Amino acid sequence: MANTIDGERRRRELAETVWRLILRGGLPAASVRGVAEEAGLATGSVRHFFPSQAELHNFAMLELMATVTERVRAAAQTPDVRERARAMLEELLPFTDRTHAEFAAYLEFLDRSRIDTALEPVASESVRAARELVVTILTDLRTLGMLRPEIDVDTEAVRLHAFLDGLMLQLLVAPDLNSRQQARDALAGWLEALEVKA
Protein backbone atom coordinates (compact mmCIF):
# COMPACT_ATOMS: atom_id res chain seq x y z
CA MET A 1 0.00 0.00 0.00
CA ALA A 2 2.80 2.42 0.94
CA ASN A 3 4.55 1.71 -2.38
CA THR A 4 1.34 2.53 -4.26
CA ILE A 5 0.94 5.82 -2.39
CA ASP A 6 4.61 6.69 -2.94
CA GLY A 7 4.25 5.81 -6.61
CA GLU A 8 1.21 8.02 -7.04
CA ARG A 9 2.96 10.86 -5.23
CA ARG A 10 6.00 10.49 -7.49
CA ARG A 11 3.78 10.51 -10.59
CA ARG A 12 2.14 13.74 -9.38
CA GLU A 13 5.55 15.26 -8.66
CA LEU A 14 6.71 14.32 -12.15
CA ALA A 15 3.54 15.79 -13.65
CA GLU A 16 4.28 19.06 -11.81
CA THR A 17 7.82 18.91 -13.20
CA VAL A 18 6.39 18.43 -16.70
CA TRP A 19 4.22 21.51 -16.25
CA ARG A 20 7.10 23.63 -14.95
CA LEU A 21 9.01 22.75 -18.12
CA ILE A 22 5.99 23.29 -20.36
CA LEU A 23 5.32 26.70 -18.83
CA ARG A 24 8.95 27.67 -19.50
CA GLY A 25 9.55 26.11 -22.89
CA GLY A 26 6.44 24.50 -24.30
CA LEU A 27 5.75 20.81 -24.83
CA PRO A 28 9.13 20.01 -26.48
CA ALA A 29 10.90 21.03 -23.25
CA ALA A 30 9.05 18.28 -21.38
CA SER A 31 10.98 15.33 -22.76
CA VAL A 32 11.73 12.33 -20.55
CA ARG A 33 15.36 13.50 -20.37
CA GLY A 34 14.32 17.09 -19.59
CA VAL A 35 11.95 15.94 -16.85
CA ALA A 36 14.65 13.72 -15.34
CA GLU A 37 17.15 16.59 -15.28
CA GLU A 38 14.63 19.02 -13.81
CA ALA A 39 13.58 16.53 -11.13
CA GLY A 40 17.16 15.54 -10.31
CA LEU A 41 16.50 11.91 -11.27
CA ALA A 42 18.04 9.38 -13.58
CA THR A 43 16.23 8.99 -16.89
CA GLY A 44 15.52 5.38 -15.94
CA SER A 45 13.66 6.53 -12.84
CA VAL A 46 11.31 8.63 -14.93
CA ARG A 47 10.87 5.78 -17.42
CA HIS A 48 9.88 3.51 -14.52
CA PHE A 49 6.71 5.61 -14.17
CA PHE A 50 6.38 6.72 -17.81
CA PRO A 51 7.99 4.20 -20.19
CA SER A 52 7.56 6.54 -23.17
CA GLN A 53 7.42 10.25 -23.82
CA ALA A 54 3.87 9.79 -25.14
CA GLU A 55 2.79 8.35 -21.78
CA LEU A 56 4.46 11.24 -19.99
CA HIS A 57 2.71 13.80 -22.18
CA ASN A 58 -0.62 11.96 -21.94
CA PHE A 59 -0.37 12.05 -18.15
CA ALA A 60 0.47 15.76 -18.22
CA MET A 61 -2.56 16.44 -20.42
CA LEU A 62 -4.79 14.40 -18.12
CA GLU A 63 -3.48 16.49 -15.23
CA LEU A 64 -4.27 19.66 -17.20
CA MET A 65 -7.79 18.39 -17.87
CA ALA A 66 -8.19 17.73 -14.15
CA THR A 67 -6.95 21.24 -13.34
CA VAL A 68 -9.39 22.83 -15.80
CA THR A 69 -12.20 20.66 -14.41
CA GLU A 70 -11.43 21.92 -10.90
CA ARG A 71 -11.51 25.52 -12.11
CA VAL A 72 -14.85 24.89 -13.85
CA ARG A 73 -16.24 23.36 -10.64
CA ALA A 74 -15.12 26.42 -8.70
CA ALA A 75 -16.77 28.70 -11.28
CA ALA A 76 -19.95 26.60 -11.00
CA GLN A 77 -20.34 27.90 -7.43
CA THR A 78 -21.03 31.42 -8.74
CA PRO A 79 -24.53 32.30 -7.42
CA ASP A 80 -25.83 34.31 -10.38
CA VAL A 81 -26.85 31.98 -13.22
CA ARG A 82 -25.69 34.25 -16.05
CA GLU A 83 -22.36 34.94 -14.37
CA ARG A 84 -21.97 31.23 -13.63
CA ALA A 85 -22.39 30.22 -17.29
CA ARG A 86 -19.92 32.87 -18.40
CA ALA A 87 -17.39 32.04 -15.68
CA MET A 88 -17.49 28.32 -16.47
CA LEU A 89 -16.96 28.89 -20.20
CA GLU A 90 -14.14 31.37 -19.52
CA GLU A 91 -12.16 28.46 -18.10
CA LEU A 92 -11.87 27.18 -21.69
CA LEU A 93 -9.98 30.34 -22.67
CA PRO A 94 -6.44 31.61 -21.94
CA PHE A 95 -7.26 34.67 -19.87
CA THR A 96 -4.25 34.60 -17.52
CA ASP A 97 -0.53 34.18 -18.12
CA ARG A 98 -0.72 30.72 -16.53
CA THR A 99 -3.64 29.54 -18.66
CA HIS A 100 -2.03 31.10 -21.74
CA ALA A 101 0.99 28.82 -21.23
CA GLU A 102 -1.25 25.83 -20.49
CA PHE A 103 -3.38 26.29 -23.60
CA ALA A 104 -0.30 26.90 -25.76
CA ALA A 105 1.06 23.54 -24.61
CA TYR A 106 -2.38 22.02 -25.18
CA LEU A 107 -2.33 23.21 -28.81
CA GLU A 108 1.10 21.65 -29.27
CA PHE A 109 -0.25 18.42 -27.78
CA LEU A 110 -3.27 18.43 -30.13
CA ASP A 111 -1.01 19.05 -33.11
CA ARG A 112 1.32 16.22 -32.14
CA SER A 113 -1.64 13.87 -31.60
CA ARG A 114 -2.39 14.05 -35.33
CA ILE A 115 0.78 12.07 -36.08
CA ASP A 116 1.34 10.22 -32.80
CA THR A 117 -1.54 7.80 -32.38
CA ALA A 118 -0.57 7.14 -28.74
CA LEU A 119 -1.66 10.71 -27.94
CA GLU A 120 -4.90 10.65 -29.92
CA PRO A 121 -7.26 9.16 -27.26
CA VAL A 122 -6.46 11.84 -24.67
CA ALA A 123 -6.59 14.60 -27.30
CA SER A 124 -9.99 13.38 -28.49
CA GLU A 125 -11.29 13.08 -24.93
CA SER A 126 -10.23 16.64 -24.13
CA VAL A 127 -12.24 17.99 -27.06
CA ARG A 128 -15.24 15.83 -26.13
CA ALA A 129 -15.06 17.05 -22.52
CA ALA A 130 -15.17 20.68 -23.68
CA ARG A 131 -18.21 19.94 -25.87
CA GLU A 132 -19.96 18.18 -22.99
CA LEU A 133 -19.39 21.21 -20.78
CA VAL A 134 -20.92 23.50 -23.41
CA VAL A 135 -23.92 21.17 -23.80
CA THR A 136 -24.39 20.99 -20.03
CA ILE A 137 -24.35 24.77 -19.65
CA LEU A 138 -26.81 25.30 -22.49
CA THR A 139 -29.07 22.54 -21.17
CA ASP A 140 -29.07 24.15 -17.72
CA LEU A 141 -29.98 27.51 -19.23
CA ARG A 142 -32.81 25.83 -21.15
CA THR A 143 -34.06 24.09 -17.98
CA LEU A 144 -34.08 27.42 -16.14
CA GLY A 145 -36.10 29.01 -18.96
CA MET A 146 -33.29 31.38 -19.92
CA LEU A 147 -32.57 30.08 -23.43
CA ARG A 148 -34.63 31.31 -26.36
CA PRO A 149 -37.14 28.53 -27.18
CA GLU A 150 -36.18 28.26 -30.86
CA ILE A 151 -32.56 27.41 -30.02
CA ASP A 152 -31.59 23.76 -30.45
CA VAL A 153 -29.07 22.89 -27.73
CA ASP A 154 -27.02 20.43 -29.82
CA THR A 155 -26.76 22.77 -32.80
CA GLU A 156 -25.90 25.74 -30.61
CA ALA A 157 -23.30 23.68 -28.75
CA VAL A 158 -21.44 23.10 -32.02
CA ARG A 159 -21.49 26.82 -32.79
CA LEU A 160 -20.51 27.97 -29.30
CA HIS A 161 -17.75 25.37 -29.01
CA ALA A 162 -16.30 26.46 -32.35
CA PHE A 163 -16.54 30.11 -31.25
CA LEU A 164 -14.61 29.33 -28.05
CA ASP A 165 -11.95 27.40 -29.96
CA GLY A 166 -11.61 30.31 -32.37
CA LEU A 167 -11.19 32.79 -29.52
CA MET A 168 -8.62 30.52 -27.87
CA LEU A 169 -6.62 30.29 -31.08
CA GLN A 170 -6.72 34.04 -31.66
CA LEU A 171 -5.63 34.82 -28.10
CA LEU A 172 -2.71 32.40 -28.41
CA VAL A 173 -1.52 33.05 -31.94
CA ALA A 174 -2.51 36.68 -32.56
CA PRO A 175 -2.83 38.31 -29.12
CA ASP A 176 -2.77 41.77 -30.69
CA LEU A 177 -5.97 40.96 -32.61
CA ASN A 178 -8.20 40.84 -29.52
CA SER A 179 -7.41 41.82 -25.95
CA ARG A 180 -8.45 39.44 -23.20
CA GLN A 181 -11.18 41.91 -22.25
CA GLN A 182 -12.47 42.04 -25.82
CA ALA A 183 -12.63 38.24 -25.83
CA ARG A 184 -14.49 38.26 -22.49
CA ASP A 185 -16.94 40.82 -23.87
CA ALA A 186 -17.44 38.75 -27.04
CA LEU A 187 -18.29 35.66 -24.98
CA ALA A 188 -20.65 37.65 -22.76
CA GLY A 189 -22.33 39.06 -25.88
CA TRP A 190 -22.71 35.59 -27.40
CA LEU A 191 -24.40 34.29 -24.25
CA GLU A 192 -26.62 37.35 -24.00
CA ALA A 193 -27.83 36.77 -27.56
CA LEU A 194 -29.04 33.28 -26.54
CA GLU A 195 -31.19 34.54 -23.69
CA VAL A 196 -34.93 34.94 -23.63
CA LYS A 197 -35.73 38.61 -24.05
CA ALA A 198 -37.86 40.18 -21.34
Side-chain angles (χ1 to χ4, degrees), residues 159-181:
R159 297 176 68 240
L160 180 52
H161 189 187
F163 170 72
L164 291 165
D165 281 350
L167 274 182
M168 176 182 68
L169 188 65
Q170 290 175 11
L171 288 167
L172 291 175
V173 178
D176 57 330
L177 189 62
N178 304 308
S179 69
R180 290 173 180 172
Q181 188 57 53

Side-chain angles (χ1 to χ4, degrees), residues 6-16 49-50 59:
D6 289 345
E8 284 306 307
R9 185 173 65 233
R10 178 51 60 93
R11 284 170 66 88
R12 283 195 302 274
E13 288 170 356
L14 289 172
E16 289 170 10
F49 293 98
F50 303 103
F59 186 76

Side-chain angles (χ1 to χ4, degrees), residues 67-79 84 87-88 91:
T67 298
V68 172
T69 299
E70 283 305 308
R71 290 197 294 246
V72 168
R73 284 187 183 135
Q77 303 309 308
T78 305
R84 182 187 316 145
M88 291 171 73
E91 294 304 333

Side-chain angles (χ1 to χ4, degrees), residues 43 64 73 99 107 113 133 143 150 162 170 177:
T43 302
L64 174 59
R73 284 187 183 135
T99 57
L107 276 188
S113 74
L133 174 63
T143 301
E150 71 272 17
Q170 290 175 11
L177 189 62

Side-chain angles (χ1 to χ4, degrees), residues 36 53 108 130:
Q53 190 157 294
E108 290 179 43

Side-chain angles (χ1 to χ4, degrees), residues 59-99:
F59 186 76
M61 286 303 119
L62 288 170
E63 287 293 298
L64 174 59
M65 289 169 64
T67 298
V68 172
T69 299
E70 283 305 308
R71 290 197 294 246
V72 168
R73 284 187 183 135
Q77 303 309 308
T78 305
D80 181 80
V81 175
R82 288 178 180 84
E83 288 300 304
R84 182 187 316 145
R86 182 194 52 73
M88 291 171 73
L89 291 173
E90 281 189 0
E91 294 304 333
L92 300 180
L93 295 167
F95 282 150
T96 67
D97 292 344
R98 166 82 188 202
T99 57

Side-chain angles (χ1 to χ4, degrees), residues 139-152:
T139 301
D140 288 349
L141 291 174
R142 161 70 35 84
T143 301
L144 293 168
M146 299 178 68
L147 204 64
R148 295 200 328 265
E150 71 272 17
I151 291 175
D152 177 75

Side-chain angles (χ1 to χ4, degrees), residues 7 9 24 35 59 70 79 111 113 117 140 152-153 156 185:
R9 185 173 65 233
R24 287 204 309 255
V35 169
F59 186 76
E70 283 305 308
D111 185 49
S113 74
T117 56
D140 288 349
D152 177 75
V153 166
E156 186 58 34
D185 293 344

